[in-house]
Structure formats: structure tokens, C-alpha cells
Amino acid sequence: MVTAVAWGAATDNMWPTANQGGICRDDPDGGDGVLSCQTDNEALYYYMDSSGTYELESPDRTTVSNMLRDEYAPTDLARHYDSNPQFSGTSETDIIYQEGSTNLPSSSDGVTWCNDAADNRRCDQQYIRIRGNGNYTPGLSCHETGHAVGLTHGRQASPLLSNDDSRLGCLRTPTRFDAVLKANNRENINATY
């Protein structure tokens, strides 16, 4: 079943759409970013890797925190920082933010993938990995978070939009440094969650 376009939205870019179907499934570590899933519910628990290979430095943590506060607060998603993240079981932390380039295609600054599909549409735990060295921008972290909750690019939306259509906000590609969520994405999120 495909979700209908939210009232007033320019396009339905909440996966699955009439132009991008498939099923949510586990993707390998650092997946290719082609697979889309929705998060498992409106209570969005997230963790920013705080040690080891994929640790986010303090400025990157601030970028993610501010982006979630500024861009996702006006949606029906209730965001919660999970200081004690769960990586297995039935209450996994929904989004794990990482910094690094392992398995990241050379043509990409970031990727989102499902680590534990809950069903054909929803994922219990998704990873976001963004390159370091200044790539953890407000726009790119907004973009990858959008994918983690199910938002697609314009070429997968219905009706189709160009990938750089301004109504897609931070889901535009290429993604601008200070890109924001925009009304179309908020309406699709709220119609889903």
C-alpha cells in the first residue's frame, strides 16, 4: 500500500511511493544508501557515537543536536537522545549517527542504512554515517535523517520532481550546507507518523 500525498504537499516523497517501491530489509554495514525504510514509530531515539572509530567530535554533535531541534521539532516525531543506546533486542535505538568513511562510496558524503528491519516497511535501527573533515553540516545531517525516517529524493517521489527542486529542502541533491527540512517534508512526516 502506498501512502497518499499529504494535503498541501508538493509531492509524496515518503517511501514507498508510486515511483519507488521495494521492501525494507537489513542492509550490510555502510549500505549503499539505495534502500529506503521508515523508522518504526513516532518516538525517535537517537545516539551519536561517542568513542572509537566512528566518534562524532563535539562540533558535529552540536550540529546534529541543533538540526534535530530546529528542523524535526515541528514534526510529529518525538526526538529523544538515548544516552544508553541499545544495539539489539526489541527496543533498539532508532538512529545511530557515526562519522567516518568506511564503506561510503567515494561519490557520497553520507549514507543511511537499515541494520534491523522490523517489517517490510519499517526499520527498528538505522545508521547514518557521514564523512568527517567538515562534512557533518546542518544540511547533510538533515538530509540523512530524512532518509532514516523514510523521505526520498525527488526522482523517487510521486509526482516526480527533479532532485534539486527547492521544495525538497534538505532532501535536495546536492545538499546545501544550511539546507532545512521545508514544508513538503514536514507534511509527509506528519501524515506518516
Side-chain angles (χ1 to χ4, degrees):
M1 181 175 119
V2 175
T3 304
V5 175
W7 185 86
T11 190
D12 175 10
N13 69 321
M14 178 59 71
W15 179 87
T17 72
N19 292 315
Q20 185 186 29
I23 62 169
C24 178
R25 60 176 169 73
D26 295 357
D27 217 359
D29 179 45
D32 58 18
V34 173
L35 178 69
S36 293
C37 299
Q38 296 173 8
T39 192
D40 59 352
N41 59 56
E42 70 278 352
L44 186 68
Y45 287 84
Y46 66 96
Y47 174 70
M48 294 179 271
D49 218 332
S50 60
S51 64
T53 304
Y54 302 115
E55 176 182 3
L56 275 71
E57 290 89 6
S58 181
D60 300 327
R61 295 171 64 82
T62 299
T63 295
V64 171
S65 295
N66 290 345
M67 177 277 301
L68 286 167
R69 179 198 66 215
D70 296 343
E71 302 309 318
Y72 286 85
T75 72
D76 289 341
L77 293 169
R79 299 136 349 272
H80 309 278
Y81 186 73
D82 193 348
S83 59
N84 185 25
Q86 301 300 307
F87 297 97
S88 63
T90 58
S91 298
E92 290 178 303
T93 304
D94 297 307
I95 299 176
I96 308 297
Y97 290 90
Q98 297 181 332
E99 181 177 319
S101 59
T102 305
N103 295 335
L104 192 61
S106 60
S107 61
S108 298
D109 289 329
V111 68
T112 302
W113 73 94
C114 177
N115 182 56
D116 187 15
D119 57 36
N120 287 343
R121 181 174 290 208
R122 298 180 186 267
C123 185
D124 195 29
Q125 185 169 73
Q126 298 199 57
Y127 280 77
I128 292 174
R129 186 174 295 154
I130 296 177
R131 290 184 195 282
N133 300 322
N135 286 299
Y136 241 104
T137 66
L140 189 55
S141 59
C142 177
H143 182 101
E144 295 302 334
T145 302
H147 287 321
V149 301
L151 295 173
T152 67
H153 297 142
R155 298 303 300 163
Q156 290 86 38
S158 180
L160 290 172
L161 296 177
S162 69
N163 280 344
D164 66 350
D165 190 295
S166 64
R167 295 171 289 183
L168 294 171
C170 66
L171 269 292
R172 290 171 73 176
T173 51
T175 307
R176 297 181 180 173
F177 176 90
D178 57 352
V180 297
L181 201 55
K182 293 267 186 146
N184 186 81
N185 297 323
R186 287 191 303 271
E187 290 175 22
N188 278 283
I189 289 170
N190 291 343
T192 302
Y193 299 101

